Amino acid sequence: MKKLTKRSWAEPYKMKMVELLKMTTRPQRVKAIKEAGFNTFLLKSDDVYIDLLTDSGTSAMSDRQWAGMMMGDESYAGSRNFYHLESAIQKYYGYKYIIPAHQGRGAENILSKILIKKGDVIPGNMYFTTTRLHQELAGGKFVDIIIDEAHDPNNEFPFKGNVDLEKLDKIVKKYGAKKIPYISIATNVNMAGGQPISMKNLKDLRAYTKKLGIRIIHDMTRVAENAYFIQQREKGYQTKTIKEIVFEICSYTDGATMSAKKDALVNIGGFMATNEWDVYEEARNLVVVYEGLHTYGGLAGRDMEAMAIGIEESVNDHHQRARVGQVEYLGHKMEEYGIPIVKPIGGHGIFVDAKAFLPHLTQDEFPAQALAAELFIDSGVRTMERGIVSAGRKANGENYYPKLELVRFTIPRRVYTQAHMDVIAESTAAVYARRDKIKGLKMIYEPKYLRFFQARFGQL
Ligand code: PLI
């Protein structure tokens, strides 16, 4: 008889509706990936079995959110749903003023245009693709100040999203505080593998920036996942709720951008928030140019209602435990098969270390891109590249060569089951067993911006 050694968690919801998936054969998948130029972004989703391309806009909404959608007030101005959203943001995040946007990058565009002048420098805890591009388009230069541990997939430091304050101090001394409009701080750093920043680090950063009058702008796309890790790992936070921790994180920052398509459990939506009246006023001017009126920002009333409800659901302790628990379940399965993954296991997905998986390929042969294509061929599981293709080119045209060359298995929230996780791990193990046979790729079409979305490749 097996002895009871632990009690499992399970999802704090049950299913009410399902979406049927198309099952494909290997020859069909080979044809599909060739037609997609070996880029998983160019596949038709009908050809995909388990879709781990992103956790962005792919979560399942709750019955409460769907009910909220029916309560959409589609007035052009002053929709009641905007006021619900504003109240939810003020209540759970504590920011004073908010501007809705169609998604995260819409908010980034407006914020970058307001705060960045030509020649400015924006230090941050690792770049994110759209965030850095908007900073650059506004005339700024992004400088990475994340701790070195974040660049090492095997380093098990629990807060790999932390800022290295010495690196920041060097940047401040080099350029002067006047050239730094803000520090760009992401919670649960996406490109590092969904790695959290600690509350202590954030407090230290606040103390440092306060002296110099430099803002902290918070990319809060995955703030609740970060809060979960603080609750699990940081001294003094075990008895605090996710809600309390999220609120505290936001309190050390001056404003935020958010892609609500992740943590906040909606299929579309985002916002910019600020505690400064002047910044808000300018954002109200710009939002009408780029997004829509300041009370809808490119969204339907129903989308804002779903977002207000999603924000509330996202700070629920049981929800976050199940969300990150599922990601950890997949990560542990992969580890059992000896698959090299970024450690510690992150919040929104498993990041496979493609350099370690395919050591026979150079980074110029796009190992992560090649591995993502091979996984799709094996089982119809769609993942994405987060390496040299995503990193793009510098202003002088040279490629960035990021230390991390990863394939991201991003888990949508409340969508897949534990059995799906088993299938994903087994498919990855099957590909790992024949890894020596996997060939590299060459890029045959490269778009100007954010090339990973639309680039095309051929096999070497
Ligand atoms: O995709 P948007 O425009 O709603 O949000 C842009 C964005 C900003 N910050 C962070 C940390 C993100 O992860 C982010 C979008 N991420 C995507 C699409 C992803 O697949 O990770």
Side-chain angles (χ1 to χ4, degrees), residues 264-335:
L265 298 162
V266 286
N267 303 123
I268 193 72
F271 62 83
M272 189 204 111
T274 172
N275 292 334
E276 295 171 76
W277 173 260
D278 294 355
V279 174
Y280 174 56
E281 206 177 14
E282 189 55 18
R284 277 161 59 108
N285 278 317
L286 286 183
V287 74
V288 294
V289 181
Y290 294 104
E291 299 282 313
L293 195 69
H294 62 281
T295 56
Y296 76 83
L299 294 169
R302 54 180 172 268
D303 298 326
M304 293 189 283
E305 191 63 31
M307 206 198 300
I309 299 168
I311 288 171
E312 185 195 327
E313 291 180 1
S314 77
V315 295
N316 177 291
D317 285 64
H318 301 292
H319 163 70
Q320 278 311 331
R321 181 166 184 228
R323 192 291 182 271
V324 179
Q326 187 178 46
V327 175
E328 287 174 340
Y329 176 85
L330 174 61
H332 293 316
K333 281 256 147 187
M334 294 231 193
E335 283 178 326

Side-chain angles (χ1 to χ4, degrees), residues 200-218:
K200 171 161 189 327
N201 187 249
L202 197 52
K203 275 194 219 172
D204 291 347
L205 180 68
R206 173 77 296 178
Y208 178 89
T209 52
K210 206 166 191 169
K211 283 189 299 200
L212 299 163
I214 302 176
R215 293 180 191 86
I216 300 176
I217 296 293
H218 177 198

Side-chain angles (χ1 to χ4, degrees), residues 275-452:
N275 292 334
E276 295 171 76
W277 173 260
D278 294 355
V279 174
Y280 174 56
E281 206 177 14
E282 189 55 18
R284 277 161 59 108
N285 278 317
L286 286 183
V287 74
V288 294
V289 181
Y290 294 104
E291 299 282 313
L293 195 69
H294 62 281
T295 56
Y296 76 83
L299 294 169
R302 54 180 172 268
D303 298 326
M304 293 189 283
E305 191 63 31
M307 206 198 300
I309 299 168
I311 288 171
E312 185 195 327
E313 291 180 1
S314 77
V315 295
N316 177 291
D317 285 64
H318 301 292
H319 163 70
Q320 278 311 331
R321 181 166 184 228
R323 192 291 182 271
V324 179
Q326 187 178 46
V327 175
E328 287 174 340
Y329 176 85
L330 174 61
H332 293 316
K333 281 256 147 187
M334 294 231 193
E335 283 178 326
E336 281 169 24
Y337 291 117
I339 296 158
I341 63 172
V342 173
K343 284 177 240 151
I345 293 166
H348 64 305
I350 300 303
F351 290 67
V352 168
D353 181 354
K355 277 188 189 168
F357 199 112
L358 301 174
H360 58 287
L361 300 186
T362 67
Q363 204 166 11
D364 287 313
E365 293 170 328
F366 307 112
Q369 191 78 32
L371 180 53
E374 195 60 33
L375 281 160
F376 172 75
I377 292 172
D378 184 78
S379 57
V381 171
R382 168 156 71 170
T383 56
M384 77 167 288
E385 193 263 8
R386 289 269 91 145
I388 184 169
V389 185
S390 293
R393 291 181 188 274
K394 300 179 193 166
N396 67 6
E398 278 171 29
N399 275 316
Y400 284 106
Y401 282 89
K403 285 207 183 108
L404 297 177
E405 178 72 25
L406 309 174
V407 176
R408 188 180 71 172
F409 293 59
T410 345
I411 312 297
R413 295 161 188 82
R414 310 193 291 205
V415 172
Y416 292 113
T417 65
Q418 204 144 305
H420 286 118
M421 298 302 123
D422 292 340
V423 167
I424 296 159
E426 287 161 22
S427 169
T428 314
V431 173
Y432 193 52
R434 57 178 153 79
R435 59 191 180 279
D436 302 350
K437 310 225 159 41
I438 297 172
K439 292 191 198 127
L441 298 171
K442 57 177 185 287
M443 202 185 291
I444 52 182
Y445 166 69
E446 180 175 353
K448 188 166 162 203
Y449 295 122
L450 302 174
R451 65 185 182 182
F452 58 96

